[in-house]
Amino acid sequence: MPAAPVTAVLVHSPFLGPASLRPLADALAALGHPAVLLDLRLSVVASPVHQRLIGAFADALSDVALTGPVVLVGHSAAGPLLPAFAEDLEDAVAGLVYLDAGLPTPGRSWRETVSPEVYDGLYKISRNGRLPRWPDWFDADPLPDLVHDEALRAEIADEAPEVPIAFLKEARPSVEWSGPSSYVCLSEAYTDELTQARELGWPTRVLDSHHLAPATDPGPVAAAVLEVL
């Protein structure tokens, strides 16, 4: 765990909003580490989503005074964009933390990393070129089982945007990151990424939790994030 305060820039999934990470930001601050929580929802409503996200990230931080070592923490589908975010940030980035997140595939799209059946399943539920909100991807809404607090659950659901399905076919930024990286795994869905992180020699932590634990159980998640720095 860092001896001196670090500033964590928290990046939510393009398929969710800042409410999914706000409790984690509060938990990090309570441990003495400032957290900057971004809201990038407006950048995911039109293509090209990757370029718009990177531009919105840079704009959001252009007027923020970041102090001490800065780490980027990307949750879920924000993970593959972390190297590009780090490259666009004027302040030096001390490390990247992938929080139950996908790993970068420079120059390759999400569609190229999954089976045709997985993509076809999402294509079939899309309407007018847009994916439904993330909770509506499933036969049964996962939020009631994952988020018991009704107000928080409603906020997370309301923030989830309808992202253009073209996002899944866009090539991810061809940016290589040579600095420190680490991984925190929260759910079985990301065990493959955890294995890759371990093979790369990254610091890792595993919590027996679920994908939205940064919102529902932020204390242990904050501790795990700090432990891998």
Side-chain angles (χ1 to χ4, degrees), residues 114-173:
V114 301
S115 68
E117 292 76 16
V118 172
Y119 174 79
D120 289 344
L122 289 177
Y123 180 81
K124 288 177 181 177
I125 62 173
S126 65
R127 295 291 182 271
N128 300 317
R130 293 186 176 277
L131 292 164
R133 295 182 173 193
W134 179 76
D136 298 327
W137 289 13
F138 311 92
D139 293 335
D141 183 354
L143 287 181
D145 288 336
L146 298 178
V147 185
H148 297 155
D149 183 281
E150 291 185 7
L152 179 59
R153 182 168 70 242
E155 188 176 11
I156 291 174
D158 289 345
E159 285 186 354
E162 294 181 351
V163 180
I165 195 169
F167 175 55
L168 305 181
K169 298 182 286 184
E170 292 177 8
R172 288 167 172 167

Side-chain angles (χ1 to χ4, degrees), residues 29 32 69 87 89 119 122 132 138 147-148 161 175 178 182 192 198 215:
E87 183 181 64
L89 189 59
Y119 174 79
L122 289 177
F138 311 92
V147 185
H148 297 155
V175 176
S178 59
S182 53
D192 287 347
R198 285 173 168 167

Side-chain angles (χ1 to χ4, degrees), residues 35-207:
V36 177
L37 180 60
L38 303 182
D39 185 351
L40 303 177
R41 286 176 292 163
L42 292 179
S43 64
V44 304
V45 297
S47 299
V49 177
H50 287 90
Q51 292 181 22
R52 289 169 56 88
L53 271 168
I54 294 167
F57 175 88
D59 288 345
L61 290 178
S62 61
D63 295 326
V64 177
L66 300 176
T67 59
V70 175
V71 297
L72 307 187
V73 181
H75 180 235
S76 192
L81 280 163
L82 287 184
F85 289 150
E87 183 181 64
D88 258 38
L89 189 59
E90 292 183 0
D91 298 76
V93 174
L96 307 180
V97 180
Y98 296 83
L99 180 58
D100 222 38
L103 298 182
T105 58
R108 299 175 64 205
S109 68
W110 176 88
R111 184 180 182 181
E112 294 176 90
T113 68
V114 301
S115 68
E117 292 76 16
V118 172
Y119 174 79
D120 289 344
L122 289 177
Y123 180 81
K124 288 177 181 177
I125 62 173
S126 65
R127 295 291 182 271
N128 300 317
R130 293 186 176 277
L131 292 164
R133 295 182 173 193
W134 179 76
D136 298 327
W137 289 13
F138 311 92
D139 293 335
D141 183 354
L143 287 181
D145 288 336
L146 298 178
V147 185
H148 297 155
D149 183 281
E150 291 185 7
L152 179 59
R153 182 168 70 242
E155 188 176 11
I156 291 174
D158 289 345
E159 285 186 354
E162 294 181 351
V163 180
I165 195 169
F167 175 55
L168 305 181
K169 298 182 286 184
E170 292 177 8
R172 288 167 172 167
S174 296
V175 176
E176 299 289 347
W177 167 258
S178 59
S181 297
S182 53
Y183 202 93
V184 176
C185 186
L186 306 174
S187 66
E188 292 184 358
Y190 286 89
T191 53
D192 287 347
E193 288 80 1
L194 172 66
T195 298
Q196 292 179 53
R198 285 173 168 167
E199 290 173 348
L200 291 167
W202 296 359
T204 63
R205 290 293 184 277
V206 180
L207 298 182

